[in-house]
Amino acid sequence: MSDSAALNQRFGIPGHISFKETDGMIVAEIDNLHAKADICLQGAHLMHWTPHGQPAVIWMSPAATLAPGKSIRGGVPVCWPWFGPHATRTDVPGHGFARTVMWEVIGTKALEDNGTWIALRLVPTDATRAQWPYPSEVVLQIAIGKTLDMDLGTLNTGSEPITIGDALHTYFTVSDIREVLVHGLEGTTYIDKVDGGSYKKQSGPVLIEQEVDRVYLDTSGDCVIEDPGWQRRIRIAKRGSHSTVVWNPWFEKAQKMGDLGENGYRKMLCVESTNAANDIVTIAPKKEHHLWVRYSVEAEK
Ligand code: TA6
């Protein structure tokens, strides 16, 4: 029996979730009364979330490719157990290994509000242990409905404290990057990675008129992407994260990256709920840390 057939037998729920194999990759497809979504089991990578009657909320690059061990451009990459470059090692991937290794489905459920719940757990290997030898378990829970809820949980199964950085590195779809505003970060301090890592203060909402790559510090409140072109606001609520990354590569960087598609940078904006910079997390033995987000769409006021 194929992997997808076995998964459908054990975790498929008619009217909610099924599993298919595409280019050798296993994908969970969710289609319920509220929305459509799909999740690649490699990286527990949510690739799309489109509430019925809405333009897609989560952006996927038209030039993205699904390939074993390769990160996917778009969706919600899971950055774990570090964010950005490793603090000391150069032989390990930026943003950690979680997004390019296999995760296993450990549960699915039809929710009372007609949403769909799925839980996935990272499958440790010799290769992951060589990068991260600390006893731990990481589980991503996702509830797809009128809202998109994601909970990245890390359990310290060892007898010593562990320290992690992590993020839900979410790509949101916008009508035109030059038109949108990001509210919720006014007056906060950020590290400007486009300007030598200098510390700056955010004045007013965030406008995107050039490459933006900023780590906003001590930020735990909601962010709102105001998109006048589609007369909608995307609300990003979170818990367990006190830093927020706003990133758009703009034209030149996008050209160099080569996997955002023709002018793809104009249709996407990353607002990432993170434990990054000084916001790394130390977890005591047998304790857990949860990074939780809720994405929702509101009509333009
Ligand atoms: O979160 C912003 C960032 O760290 C940028 O500096 C850029 O590198 C982006 O992530 C994409 O990283 P990736 O490894 O997915 O190409």
Side-chain angles (χ1 to χ4, degrees), residues 11-208:
F11 296 111
I13 306 174
H16 282 272
I17 187 167
S18 61
F19 297 84
K20 70 170 187 179
E21 202 148 337
T22 307
D23 303 330
M25 306 286 271
I26 305 272
V27 175
E29 291 189 327
I30 293 94
D31 188 355
N32 60 37
L33 290 179
H34 300 300
K36 280 191 170 188
D38 59 7
I39 302 161
C40 183
L41 264 56
Q42 175 179 282
H45 195 128
L46 185 133
M47 300 186 286
H48 301 88
W49 173 54
T50 307
H52 296 318
Q54 272 284 344
V57 178
I58 301 296
W59 181 82
M60 177 55 61
S61 169
T65 54
L66 263 61
K70 187 179 177 307
S71 61
I72 303 169
R73 182 65 63 202
V76 185
V78 174
C79 301
W80 188 93
W82 59 83
F83 179 82
H86 188 278
T88 56
R89 294 177 59 170
T90 55
D91 61 332
V92 293
H95 291 328
F97 50 79
R99 61 178 172 165
T100 53
V101 300
M102 278 309 289
W103 294 55
E104 60 186 346
V105 180
I106 55 174
T108 55
K109 206 172 2 182
L111 298 172
E112 283 186 12
D113 68 358
N114 294 313
T116 308
W117 175 87
I118 181 171
L120 302 108
R121 177 171 55 206
L122 187 147
V123 180
T125 63
D126 291 346
T128 62
R129 281 185 283 266
Q131 298 178 63
W132 177 255
Y134 310 106
S136 53
E137 182 179 273
V138 56
V139 170
L140 180 65
Q141 300 179 66
I142 306 174
I144 298 104
K146 284 194 183 117
T147 63
L148 176 64
D149 295 4
M150 302 183 81
D151 179 332
L152 181 64
T154 302
L155 168 66
N156 179 352
T157 54
S159 54
E160 296 297 326
I162 59 174
T163 297
I164 65 164
D166 60 4
L168 294 169
H169 189 301
T170 306
Y171 291 72
F172 293 97
T173 309
V174 295
S175 60
D176 184 336
I177 190 63
R178 298 168 299 184
E179 307 295 327
V180 304
L181 296 173
V182 180
H183 301 278
L185 299 168
E186 291 83 351
T188 63
T189 299
Y190 65 90
I191 299 170
D192 188 345
K193 290 168 60 178
V194 174
D195 185 12
S198 55
Y199 283 66
K200 298 178 180 176
K201 202 165 185 69
Q202 180 61 41
S203 168
V206 181
L207 294 167
I208 312 290

Side-chain angles (χ1 to χ4, degrees), residues 16 87 104 133 205 230 249 259 279 283 288 297:
H16 282 272
E104 60 186 346
W230 282 341
D259 60 358
D279 176 31
I283 308 171
E288 300 180 39
V297 179

